[in-house]
Amino acid sequence: MNKAGIVTRASKLIGMNIENPQGESLGEINDLVMNTSTGEVKYAAVTYGGFLGVGNKMFAVPFEAFNIKQKPDSTEHTLVLNVNQKQLEGATGFDEDHWPDFADATYLADLNKRYDVKHKRMNKGEKRQDGTSKLDPKTSGKNVRVSQLNGMNIQNAEGKSVGEINDIVINASHGKVQYAAVTYGGFLGVGNKMFAVPFKAFEIKQNPEEPEEQILVLNVTQHQLEGAQGFDEDHWPDFADPDFSKELHKRYRIEADHKDRDVKVNIDT
């Protein structure tokens, strides 16, 4: 998969055009599905836009099936998916109100086979699929649509609201969610700027007031935010800077994933 070192925001991937290897438009990404236990983007919900007569329904595609191709004489990128009519025969589409069961091993095995993606053994985080408590009412187990994370409220350990998620930053080289862009909403006097927070700094806990729901918890203090550099929509930080990453992980007291150190190119941020 030709994705080494590419970092992008989820808001840029959602809605991005998809082409086949011949450069013909196939459709676009409607949403991304991530596993909250592992922090990995696992699938994309794709509409083929009438391609090959499949209508306007969405189809789940393993994230590993995509390649990212840089446009000639441009810094912009296109998602490339090698799919043909034979691969789509028998594929079950879905609509916004009826998402598939991403905790169904048989369903996932069919997707991997259909798009010629090698089966990966599920790790412990993926095996712990809890159907009674979730972040997203339309997906199953520990899976959540990335679009649902944007705008989601964040609480501290005492249950007080501290802000919300504005966007998700993904390292496309291995489909891992690296950071969330958070606004603290005036919390602790930091104003309305965004701040990058390593996704591993968040905890996902059961909502004590609504047992069927989960909440995002971030234990952040004024001391942790001292010296933190906020940013706005027009001036995003350099997520490829190893010093930036090291400082963030130290600030939020978590260990950096060794894969995060492989980032060399920063796009669409």
Side-chain angles (χ1 to χ4, degrees), residues 114-130:
R114 186 178 300 278
Y115 288 95
D116 196 26
V117 172
K118 291 183 179 179
H119 174 71
K120 292 184 178 180
R121 182 179 296 178
M122 290 190 298
N123 61 32
K124 291 181 180 179
E126 290 176 288
K127 289 179 180 179
R128 291 194 296 269
Q129 298 289 323
D130 183 354

Side-chain angles (χ1 to χ4, degrees), residues 13-260:
L13 285 174
I14 295 173
M16 185 176 283
N17 183 56
I18 303 167
E19 295 181 354
N20 63 16
Q22 291 73 45
E24 299 169 323
S25 179
L26 301 179
E28 66 179 38
I29 290 192
N30 283 60
D31 214 330
L32 300 165
V33 177
M34 69 169 287
N35 183 289
T36 54
S37 294
T38 65
E40 289 181 296
V41 175
K42 305 294 291 185
Y43 302 96
V46 169
T47 48
Y48 288 115
F51 171 70
L52 302 179
V54 294
N56 292 317
K57 284 193 172 184
M58 290 184 284
F59 293 83
V61 179
F63 189 73
E64 288 290 316
F66 293 95
N67 287 313
I68 290 182
K69 179 180 177 182
Q70 187 167 347
K71 295 180 179 179
D73 302 319
S74 173
T75 59
E76 296 183 1
H77 291 69
T78 300
L79 285 171
V80 179
L81 180 65
N82 192 7
V83 63
N84 54 52
Q85 188 163 8
K86 185 176 181 181
Q87 281 176 283
L88 291 178
E89 287 177 0
T92 303
F94 58 95
D95 58 34
E96 189 59 42
D97 295 324
H98 303 90
W99 283 67
D101 183 1
F102 289 104
D104 183 346
T106 301
Y107 172 77
L108 300 184
D110 174 74
L111 282 185
N112 290 333
K113 183 178 180 181
R114 186 178 300 278
Y115 288 95
D116 196 26
V117 172
K118 291 183 179 179
H119 174 71
K120 292 184 178 180
R121 182 179 296 178
M122 290 190 298
N123 61 32
K124 291 181 180 179
E126 290 176 288
K127 289 179 180 179
R128 291 194 296 269
Q129 298 289 323
D130 183 354
T132 60
S133 182
K134 59 182 69 175
L135 276 171
D136 190 340
K138 293 185 179 180
T139 57
S140 48
K142 301 297 183 182
N143 300 295
V144 62
R145 291 170 294 162
V146 171
S147 64
Q148 299 305 294
L149 291 176
N150 290 340
M152 186 170 283
N153 180 255
I154 304 165
Q155 297 183 8
N156 62 16
E158 289 73 42
K160 296 180 180 179
S161 176
V162 296
E164 66 179 39
I165 290 181
N166 282 60
D167 212 335
I168 298 293
V169 178
I170 299 168
N171 184 332
S173 61
H174 48 80
K176 197 88 171 201
V177 173
Q178 282 188 270
Y179 304 103
V182 170
T183 48
Y184 288 114
F187 174 68
L188 301 180
V190 295
N192 293 317
K193 284 192 173 184
M194 290 185 282
F195 293 83
V197 179
F199 193 76
K200 290 196 296 184
F202 293 93
E203 290 185 79
I204 298 173
K205 293 185 176 181
Q206 190 175 52
N207 187 343
E209 298 180 359
E210 298 287 343
E212 293 185 355
E213 297 180 358
Q214 291 182 339
I215 54 176
L216 281 177
V217 177
L218 179 64
N219 194 13
V220 61
T221 65
Q222 186 162 6
H223 178 70
Q224 279 176 285
L225 290 178
E226 289 176 359
Q229 297 297 312
F231 57 96
D232 59 34
E233 188 62 37
D234 296 323
H235 302 91
W236 283 69
D238 181 6
F239 292 107
D241 182 352
D243 291 333
F244 172 80
S245 177
K246 182 178 179 180
E247 192 274 337
L248 274 188
H249 284 82
K250 181 179 180 181
R251 184 179 299 279
Y252 289 94
R253 299 170 186 168
I254 61 171
E255 289 189 20
D257 190 324
H258 74 280
K259 290 181 179 179
D260 295 343

